[in-house]
Amino acid sequence: MSIKAAKRREDYLPPDFTVDHIDLKIVLAADATSVSAVLQVTRIGSHERPLCLDGEQLTLKSVEVDGIAWTDYQLSETALTINGVPDSFVLSTVVEIAPAHNTSLEGLYLSDGAFCTQCEAEGFRKITYFLDRPDVLSMYDVTITAPQDEYPQLLSNGNKLASGHNDDGTHWVKWQDPHRKPCYLFALVAGDFDLLTDEFTTQSGRVVALELYVDKGKLNRGQHALDSLKRAMRWDEEVFGLEYDLDVYMIVAVDFFNMGAMENKGLNVFNSKFVLADSETATDDDYFNIESVIAHEYFHNWTGNRVTCRDWFQLSLKEGLTVFRDQIFSETFNSPLATRIKQVKVIREHQFAEDAGPMSHPIRPDEVIEMNNFYTVTVYDKGAEVIRMLWTLLTPEGFKRGMRFYFDRHDGQAVTCDDFVNAMQDANDIDLSLFKRWYGQSGTPRISIAQHGDKLTIGQHTPATADQASKQALLIPLQLEMVPSNGQGESVQLTVALKSETQEVLLPVSSGNRVLSVNSGFSAPVIVEQQASLAELGSILSFAKSDFDRWEASQALFKQAMLANMEGDASVINETAQLMAQFITAEQRNLALLSEVLIPPSVESLVAGLEQVNVDALLNSHKAVYKRVAIECAPMLEKLLAALVLRDEYAYTPEQIVQRKALNTLLKLYSQCQDTSDMLTTLFTNADNMTDTLTALQAAQLGNQSTFESLMQQFEERWQDDPLVLDKWFALHATTERPDILARLQLLMEHKQYTLKNPNRIRAILGSFAFYNTAGLHLSDGSGYRFFTDHLLAIDPVNPQVAARIVTPLLSWRKFDSDRQDKIKFHLTRILDNPQISSDLFEKVSKSLAQ
Ligand code: TRP
Ligand code: ZN
């Protein structure tokens, strides 16, 4: 492998040629698939340059221009350059590829015997020679041929035009997609699936066939996904007036997939983890995630497919916007509080860390080596927060007006993030030029507040990041809640549009006897520097109107107690424990809030928020505070738990979801101070759903090792043949704090269900370990780093995308003590010294070492 050259956003040039139409004929065979492509090519502008097509790992068989065999071309590892072509012509190529040997899961590959494709971002070039860039939009005709009995279902984008049988036992199907699309949205699936079908009638009365393809025998696990799809289709019509535009919508669930799912036009391909669910095997969180990913991919049909990206630097154009759309969809059909908390946790735990580390980049990056490395929490989740700020600034009505205008202006085009903001601006008669800085500036802004009577001086400042030395002021809609400190009187909410480094704000009511809750509802993806006192946090926790702000106060309290305890200050811990105990007594009927407030911030989120970390002290302090709070709350916990363990038969209803969540939170807390073995064993044995089963295991994992071991063994016996369920077990083992964790991981990787070819298994064991077992990864003798690095080196040649994703926790080595720094650097250097290193790992590791 050779390392790719970096590409810069500034260097964008429109393509020299475009392809108006492509006719693909694909004859499938595991070792030698033949791909014939007939392209209608047109020169753009007047120039004499040759046609340069992308292509990788293809065996070229023939080239013809306008039906004449062509020899005037050059072939390299990554391109086919055809010289002397006319302004408009037909190019025919034939290539051969080997899907059975494709372990990268990009291009055409085999997943458990079924053929499938993944083309985003730049995988189409592994299927045929093409202009593999999103601003080349073409019409597709696709004919697939394969053995009939092994692959009875042959799928591609659009509508089925014709099909037939051949004498050699193969059959064929021809598909036509009536919409122009970039090649990253091409998809092909061939296999033998069970099929779940339904119908959806659009608001204009068209009937759409819905088809869900799953592994044989898994039909009864598909209903929730199908129901979620119908909810998403209806919601997009009602909220944004957007209707589906084909006669059929297909979803295929596959076991081998690098990410969550892919929005290929009319033919989504999903990681089976985000499709399959029933009460026995899936948790409430799984149900939530399935609904959200199904909606996300569906929403891409407009935000991504009908209007697509001009170039890959614009990825947030479709991802930030589509994540925002799936977020407000989820807030509608689930608890808005729990949903918003999930989102904010992702930002705090992962995005702030990314922005503070060597991979820091704006939501619209400026420089990329491997595009697959930029499907990040910054582009996706910070991108969604940026869209949310527009929603706040423009109001929902203004935002929706902007969306309508965006589609009127840009339907069928490949556009930029600026085009999107311009559409929002032009539809709303507002100047968003300052707001656009969010797209180009990386880093997390810090907000400072100084109060003088009823006047605030609010400052904003973004520290330098690895990629950008100097920063500018941003347009930040900052929401504030003035909470009555003793609970007497109404809260007052205000939104301030910050525009400069410092700004004065006159409070609308007297600040006497009021506490400020700053960045209420997480109105902007910023860090508020002002340290509230324990008493102030106590007031917000008790009296804020916004439940989200009450949760924020609880997290700040836990964090202050944990940090103070590390410094040997025990007074904060006592006061925090008392505030929590008061809270649980006062709010004993508010299970929704209790179940969030009594979860302390994770060790990992604390690490993310600190510039320097003493790992050992932090781990100890985290445990001490958690336990101290548990002791203080114990009598109330006993009382509440007694009521929670007795419940009706399982149902996926809002009431029951809250009860199960509360049981989880309270039982984990209670297990810090009491021997809960009997309770947990009973819960585990009687559980009629996966959520409660996992609650028993998680509480045991934190509290009682022998109970944990015995329940885990029973779980494994029950689920050893179901890899998707077993991933929960792998992850629990991998996140357990124990001295012999590496030996345990080694054993897990010898399990019959483990294979380094399946990304879900790798993520469940090594991903969970690296991201969520801080104690294990950072073992002081460096053995955790060595173990993890050895496996990264083994995964990289098989699946570089996955290797580069899970390397992330090593990149922030600067946070740790100097001994750990040296050890991590040693292992990162080991990765970089590998002559076979992928571009994916190279980009991240080299940046980390250079920083
Ligand atoms: N566009 C997909 C989504 O967010 C992301 C995706 C799926 C992807 N598979 C991928 C990105 C493989 C890169 C590589 O919905
Ligand atoms: Zn997406």
Side-chain angles (χ1 to χ4, degrees), residues 284 591-592 594-596 599 626 637-638 640-647 655-671 676 679-680 682-684 687-689 691-696 698-699:
D284 293 338
L591 288 182
L594 271 186
S595 64
E596 300 291 350
I599 306 172
Y626 199 17
L637 290 172
E638 256 156 55
L640 288 170
L641 282 168
L644 278 172
V645 286
L646 308 165
R647 272 209 324 274
E655 300 72 38
Q656 283 206 10
I657 293 169
V658 166
Q659 289 171 347
R660 283 190 288 271
K661 176 87 188 263
L663 180 64
N664 181 286
T665 302
L666 302 182
L667 208 43
K668 283 197 279 199
L669 184 58
Y670 192 53
S671 300
T676 49
M679 268 176 97
L680 299 182
T682 309
L683 178 65
F684 182 89
D688 64 350
N689 66 85
T691 305
D692 285 344
T693 302
L694 277 195
T695 288
Q698 288 169 3

Side-chain angles (χ1 to χ4, degrees), residues 203 234-243 302 404:
Q203 59 185 2
R234 188 63 71 212
W235 184 89
D236 218 14
E237 291 181 343
E238 285 169 359
V239 176
F240 289 110
L242 297 172
E243 193 173 311
W302 280 93
R404 282 193 296 276

Side-chain angles (χ1 to χ4, degrees), residues 818-847:
S818 68
D819 185 44
R820 284 186 168 97
Q821 288 193 10
D822 290 343
K823 291 186 163 108
I824 301 175
K825 277 193 285 181
F826 171 80
H827 290 287
L828 288 176
T829 307
R830 223 154 55 86
I831 296 174
L832 209 54
D833 284 348
N834 170 20
Q836 304 298 317
I837 189 173
S838 64
S839 292
D840 310 57
L841 263 189
F842 172 82
E843 180 170 39
K844 295 179 90 170
V845 174
S846 63
K847 274 189 184 161

Side-chain angles (χ1 to χ4, degrees), residues 120 259 261-263 293 296-297 300 303 315 318-320 322-323 326 375 380:
E120 190 180 6
M259 307 263 285
M262 180 62 212
E263 70 265 24
V293 179
H296 179 97
E297 305 312 330
H300 268 315
T303 50
L315 180 61
K318 74 178 178 80
E319 295 304 345
T322 303
V323 171
D326 83 54
Y375 289 75
Y380 275 63

